[in-house]
Amino acid sequence: MIEFRGIEKIYPPNTVALQGVNLKINAGEFVSIVGQSGTGKTTLIKLLTAEERPTRGKITIGDWDITKIRRSEIPTLRRQIGVIFQDFKLLPKKTIFENVAFALEVCGASVGRIKTIVPQVLRIVGLDEKADRYPKQVSGGEQQRVAIARALIHRPKILVADEPTGNLDSINTREIADLLLKINEFGTTVLLVSHNRELVNSLRRRVVTLEQGTVISDQEVGKYVL
Amino acid sequence: MFAALFRIIKFSSQDFWRNFWLTTATVVVLVLTLVSINFLITLNFLTKTAVAQVEDKIDVSVYFKPGVAESEIGNIKSYLLSLSGVKDVIYVSPEEALRDFTKKHENDAVIKESLEEVGENPLGATLIVKAHDPADYPEILEVFDDAQYANIIQEKSFEDHEAIIKKIDSISEKAKSTGFGIAGLFAVVAVLIGFNTVRMTIYTHREEIGVMKLVGAANWFVRAPFLASGVFYGIFAVFFTILLTFPAIGFAEPYLAGFFGGAEFNLLGYFSQNFLQIFGWQFVGVVLLNIVTSSLAVGRYLKV
Ligand SMILES: Nc1ncnc2c1ncn2[C@@H]1O[C@H](COP(=O)(O)OP(=O)(O)OP(=O)(O)O)[C@@H](O)[C@H]1O
Ligand SMILES: [Mg+2]
């Protein structure tokens, strides 16, 4: 479903972030991407969401070649890829409900649709009871779950998580991991970037290891090898 | 679509109040720009009135010798009226001419005495010719140069006031270019402040904008609130300009009317009659100015 072919990314003037990356991810897979700091994991994700363009190579999603995607098509792409980050990126002045609703609002959804969909998604992440709280009034794990709810709001085929548990303790980490697995079970392809050896090993899923911008190992039921 | 439009208006109007001081500064310079443009319009109106008034005073007086038959003069009058450049011809009979003359010189003992000495009316009839346009006078004067009139015309007088008109024009030109300079300066300041306002707004909203892009909001949706705020600024700027302009005219009108001797002078009427045209265009202009400014700032600081 997702295919990176001969990908090279050089940040001007001469930082080589990725080099000769070939990677194929099937629909419905759960893939962890691991590697030391600065090996190009985030860059790989930015290429997928068209935040950056590859210097060389080709990226396809299904039969959509996004390598030379037009600016006007980027929003369509982003609605098909939910993304969450280490720092949640929630809006502090909006409640949990409003944070999730915002993603629908700015994409032109009707008030009626917002009122039906947001509670549904909040229920999936287990936060329907705390919908009226502000991000500061809930735990880090719960904040990340709000971010996941927001990422799921357009029913994306792909969910990308860049170090989602980087700021969380082990209990919250476990909860987020379970949630990601649950989402994957519903059929969403999940791409997880993580530094957490224990977490990655416990998932017993495919692990891709990057080193200095290239894939050095790709195991079906992988271990964190570094 | 309706929901999107509503949200764009909501987002941009929220900013309008949230950044109160920046908004105020932006609107104030826009108002100053518009006020100086209205000053130019007023100036233009004043010049036109003044020139029209002076032009109205221009005429050619043709003094006939005493004893020229009224019918002959009547023929000349009809002929003159048939000319395209002639607006009006007034016949002043010898009696009226004498009356005017004595009245004008009633305090002059010498003239009074000599008139009495002459006994009969020494004055002939007069034709006062007015042209549609000052440029037509040379042609009219030419008519009387004809030899056939040589022995019935005593004298022609033509005061063209050209020097005065030139003076009015040159004063108003100077005032206009100063006005344009001031309006231009305010417009530049308006662009700078507007640009900075949009930049600040983008900065204060960087998180929201980031989330919008993350979740796939359309590019135009991200930009639109900044452009919509241009319309808000336009509405407020024109509103306050109107609020300032009319009382200012009301205040100045009596003085100006006095200056023009009360003749056909109605600045307030001019602004009221052309209200839509004057302020409509100012609104369009201000909104365009703001949209250009916002687009510049958005293009520079909002990488969509
Ligand atoms: N915008 C940028 N401009 C220039 N260089 C960049 C930029 N973003 C990343 N880099 C460089 O590219 C390389 C890969 O960065 P990247 O963020 O992809 O690493 P990472 O694997 O996500 O690291 P981490 O685990 O610390 O998040 C690094 O050397 C980084 O300094
Ligand atoms: Mg990273």
Side-chain angles (χ1 to χ4, degrees):
Chain A
M1 176 197 207
I2 305 171
E3 190 172 0
F4 294 89
R5 228 184 304 158
I7 291 299
E8 182 176 304
K9 175 65 187 176
I10 300 171
Y11 286 109
N14 53 15
T15 310
V16 181
L18 292 171
Q19 212 172 16
V21 172
N22 290 296
L23 195 59
K24 215 171 170 175
I25 295 162
N26 294 318
E29 263 194 291
F30 191 122
V31 182
S32 302
I33 296 169
V34 301
Q36 278 169 350
S37 190
T39 53
K41 305 181 295 294
T42 299
T43 302
L44 197 67
I45 283 164
K46 283 183 175 169
L47 293 178
L48 192 62
T49 57
E51 204 176 316
E52 293 286 351
R53 307 262 164 155
T55 313
R56 207 164 292 156
K58 191 169 162 180
I59 304 167
T60 50
I61 298 175
D63 39 22
W64 190 8
D65 183 353
I66 62 157
T67 323
K68 291 189 180 71
I69 189 170
R70 269 183 281 133
R71 268 162 156 265
S72 57
E73 292 175 327
I74 292 177
T76 316
L77 173 71
R78 303 233 171 114
R79 288 180 207 186
Q80 292 177 26
I81 305 176
V83 191
I84 59 170
F85 303 91
Q86 182 169 0
D87 60 357
F88 321 133
K89 299 203 194 297
L90 298 176
L91 301 172
K93 285 182 193 150
K94 289 187 188 291
T95 64
I96 287 172
F97 183 95
E98 288 165 347
N99 262 285
V100 178
F102 187 69
L104 281 173
E105 263 181 31
V106 299
C107 295
S110 69
V111 177
R113 238 189 100 205
I114 292 173
K115 280 188 180 148
T116 15
I117 297 184
V118 175
Q120 281 175 12
V121 180
L122 283 178
R123 208 167 308 128
I124 293 174
V125 301
L127 282 173
D128 42 339
E129 309 268 285
K130 299 183 175 171
D132 292 332
R133 298 214 197 161
Y134 287 88
K136 271 201 181 137
Q137 299 170 327
V138 299
S139 75
E142 285 168 331
Q143 289 184 43
Q144 191 59 288
R145 272 147 60 187
V146 178
I148 291 173
R150 185 178 64 192
L152 293 177
I153 203 83
H154 297 304
R155 305 181 187 284
K157 296 194 184 67
I158 305 162
L159 180 69
V160 175
D162 192 352
E163 315 241 14
T165 60
N167 282 344
L168 304 179
D169 61 26
S170 58
I171 295 171
N172 278 309
T173 296
R174 193 64 248 165
E175 276 179 12
I176 294 298
D178 288 341
L179 184 54
L180 292 177
L181 284 168
K182 181 171 131 193
I183 290 162
N184 179 240
E185 267 165 36
F186 288 148
T188 308
T189 309
V190 177
L191 237 68
L192 168 70
V193 172
S194 181
H195 268 144
N196 191 323
R197 177 188 301 267
E198 231 176 299
L199 170 70
V200 171
N201 289 344
S202 75
L203 292 170
R204 308 202 49 76
R205 299 295 181 107
R206 182 177 167 193
V207 176
V208 173
T209 309
L210 285 180
E211 194 176 282
Q212 290 180 356
T214 46
V215 177
I216 57 155
S217 113
D218 186 349
Q219 300 172 297
E220 266 321 305
V221 179
K223 292 254 174 207
Y224 195 114
V225 291
L226 293 170
Chain B
M1 195 60 218
F2 177 75
L5 196 69
F6 175 75
R7 276 169 206 145
I8 286 165
I9 292 171
K10 192 179 87 180
F11 289 163
S12 64
S13 63
Q14 273 171 355
D15 284 329
F16 194 86
W17 298 113
R18 230 176 257 160
N19 305 328
F20 184 76
W21 290 112
L22 266 176
T23 304
T24 307
T26 311
V27 172
V28 165
V29 264
L30 287 174
V31 168
L32 288 175
T33 312
L34 293 184
V35 164
S36 34
I37 286 169
N38 284 323
F39 172 72
L40 279 175
I41 293 173
T42 305
L43 204 65
N44 203 30
F45 178 79
L46 293 183
T47 313
K48 272 194 189 140
T49 312
V51 169
Q53 243 176 31
V54 173
E55 276 178 0
D56 202 46
K57 282 185 184 141
I58 305 176
D59 55 31
V60 172
S61 298
V62 182
Y63 302 98
F64 291 89
K65 290 184 174 161
V68 178
E70 196 177 331
S71 62
E72 198 177 345
I73 296 172
N75 287 340
I76 296 171
K77 182 179 169 184
S78 330
Y79 170 66
L80 285 171
L81 281 171
S82 73
L83 297 176
S84 64
V86 174
K87 184 169 143 196
D88 198 12
V89 181
I90 298 163
Y91 173 76
V92 183
S93 67
E95 296 72 38
E96 283 174 284
L98 180 65
R99 213 182 309 135
D100 289 347
F101 186 80
T102 27
K103 195 171 181 202
K104 200 168 168 190
H105 299 283
E106 65 187 342
N107 296 325
D108 195 326
V110 179
I111 290 181
K112 227 177 183 175
E113 226 167 81
S114 43
L115 271 178
E116 268 160 26
E117 213 160 282
V118 173
E120 61 182 29
N121 185 354
L123 300 174
T126 312
L127 281 183
I128 300 168
V129 188
K130 273 190 195 283
H132 287 293
D133 191 292
D136 292 329
Y137 283 107
E139 205 183 326
I140 294 167
L141 284 164
E142 230 167 72
V143 171
F144 299 105
D145 287 341
D146 197 308
Q148 67 176 104
Y149 299 128
N151 45 13
I152 57 170
I153 292 177
Q154 178 112 35
E155 205 187 335
K156 297 173 292 196
S157 85
F158 173 56
E159 261 184 84
D160 72 355
H161 299 78
E162 204 180 337
I164 297 177
I165 291 176
K166 274 207 177 123
K167 188 144 197 184
I168 294 174
D169 276 340
S170 92
I171 291 172
S172 95
E173 280 311 312
K174 265 181 210 148
K176 264 186 224 169
S177 47
T178 312
F180 271 121
I182 291 171
L185 196 71
F186 281 136
V188 169
V189 175
V191 168
L192 291 178
I193 292 193
F195 186 83
N196 210 43
T197 306
V198 176
R199 195 182 69 160
M200 284 292 291
T201 318
I202 292 173
Y203 182 77
T204 48
H205 289 285
R206 59 199 184 286
E207 282 186 326
E208 270 120 313
I209 292 167
V211 172
M212 282 189 190
K213 290 187 200 169
L214 178 70
V215 299
N219 294 343
W220 65 267
F221 189 91
V222 180
R223 287 160 178 261
F226 298 101
L227 305 185
S229 64
V231 180
F232 281 104
Y233 292 139
I235 292 171
F236 276 81
V238 170
F239 175 75
F240 284 117
T241 304
I242 292 170
L243 230 54
L244 282 174
T245 303
F246 280 90
I249 293 173
F251 177 77
E253 182 118 46
Y255 297 97
L256 293 170
F259 179 75
F260 284 102
E264 295 233 5
F265 181 82
N266 191 356
L267 187 57
L268 203 59
Y270 178 75
F271 269 89
S272 315
Q273 272 153 32
N274 300 295
F275 186 88
L276 268 187
Q277 208 175 355
I278 292 174
F279 295 102
W281 281 115
Q282 290 182 8
F283 176 70
V284 171
V286 167
V287 167
L288 283 182
L289 187 77
N290 284 327
I291 286 183
V292 169
T293 309
S294 309
S295 307
L296 286 176
V298 163
R300 179 127 163 60
Y301 297 104
L302 191 64
K303 299 273 178 272
V304 186

